[in-house]
Amino acid sequence: MNVPFLDLRVQYAAIRPEIEHGIAQVMAEAAFAGGPFVEKFEHAFAEYCQTDHAIGVANGTEALWLALLALGIGAGDEVITVPNTFIATVEAIHFCGAKPVFVDVDGKTCNMDPSHLERALTSRTAAIMPVHLYGQTADMDPIMAFAKKHGLFVVEDACQAHGALYKGRKAGSIGDIGCFSFYPGKNLGAYGDAGAVVTSDRQLADRIKMLRDHGQIKKYHHALIGWNARMDGIQAAVLSIKLKYLPEWNEKRRTHAAQYSDLLKDVAGLTTPGEAAYGTHVYHVYAVHCTQREALREYLADRGIGHGIHYPVPLHKQPAPGLQNGEDSFPVAERCAGQTLSLPMFPEMRPEQIAYVAGHIKAYTTQS
Ligand SMILES: *Cc1c(COP(=O)(O)O)cnc(C)c1O
């Protein structure tokens, strides 16, 4: 048996007639860049996220960047975030001229540990950017309380957490702004690059709409210097169709995660992912921690089992200039980077595939 890490083809096969019809409509109306299909998706996605506004953009990285620009964050400002995330989180901070400041994460969820915020705070701190890693939100109440106390903005990097809940509230709806990626492999994925910003603040929404379209208030009238970060019509049409299935697909991911966690619960040297009591995890990534990762990876690869590491090198250890956080170390994030192993996870997985993966992990650990 072969178990890929991710298989987008099975999903396409299941919804193909609908998708082909949706794409044909965009072509018939020649509504390619922005336009009515994007607006339709924005309404549906805002409703899904429990926010008043959603603004479709070209990808998740630009969603994060435009969110910070709209809040007026720039040179001289600091933004507190975590070192165990995808590089895009800090690229967005850099490209508006601000400086990322890292705090360590919680060992159970691998998400921002709010108890470290105080230590990272300076007179230049302007915003906090928690990342809802793997599909589970950070502990938002203490983060929001800290932000309120110190007059900071909160931008949620919800690029891995479409539909995740925090105390009943949707990821992305809790801070001032929430940012999403629709990269094909995300829980809600386009057929190319796309992203969205959600907020319930009308002024921020208007500003982001201008920023993504050359700062225009109307065609060729520029109220500010913006950028071209529009969403494609074809991507919006695909996303509108796929959004209807997202709750069902997230539910399937949860069922798969439960099966994995049950089968792997007593395996020595391996810890299954924890679901915090405050929320609902949507398992964009099902990541276990294991002490003998490299040997296990080889064993799995030899048996046709796909896997990944999210992420092998924490950002403060990357060579790119500007990322090193002085003398600070982040022992929990570093331990996560050394032990995390992502197993195959996608809604269309079959129970026997999960049993195959778990069976081989168990066989490996008893043999070694
Ligand atoms: C995917 C992702 C992004 C970036 O999204 P793109 O659409 O690829 O630009 C940002 N942050 C996190 C945590 C992500 O997983």
Side-chain angles (χ1 to χ4, degrees), residues 279-323:
T280 305
H281 198 320
V282 293
Y283 295 98
H284 170 57
V285 168
Y286 182 88
V288 297
H289 279 185
C290 58
T291 44
Q292 308 232 357
R293 183 177 66 194
E294 295 316 308
L296 176 59
R297 286 184 74 185
E298 204 171 303
Y299 182 90
L300 295 179
D302 288 346
R303 280 150 191 84
I305 296 171
H307 54 270
I309 295 180
H310 303 92
Y311 297 91
V313 182
L315 297 182
H316 66 285
K317 300 245 175 190
Q318 295 283 357
L323 291 177

Side-chain angles (χ1 to χ4, degrees), residues 220-300:
Y220 305 132
H221 291 263
H222 309 276
L224 32 94
I225 298 287
W227 197 253
N228 172 5
R230 292 180 301 253
M231 179 185 272
D232 282 354
I234 287 177
Q235 301 310 338
V238 168
L239 290 167
S240 289
I241 293 163
K242 290 182 73 173
L243 181 59
K244 294 184 296 181
Y245 297 101
L246 181 60
E248 176 190 325
W249 288 337
N250 279 347
E251 209 41 61
K252 286 190 172 151
R253 287 175 184 271
R254 289 181 53 75
T255 305
H256 301 334
Q259 188 187 347
Y260 268 132
S261 293
D262 184 47
L263 292 171
L264 295 173
K265 64 178 182 282
D266 296 322
V267 175
L270 185 137
T271 317
T272 56
E275 184 175 34
Y278 58 61
T280 305
H281 198 320
V282 293
Y283 295 98
H284 170 57
V285 168
Y286 182 88
V288 297
H289 279 185
C290 58
T291 44
Q292 308 232 357
R293 183 177 66 194
E294 295 316 308
L296 176 59
R297 286 184 74 185
E298 204 171 303
Y299 182 90
L300 295 179

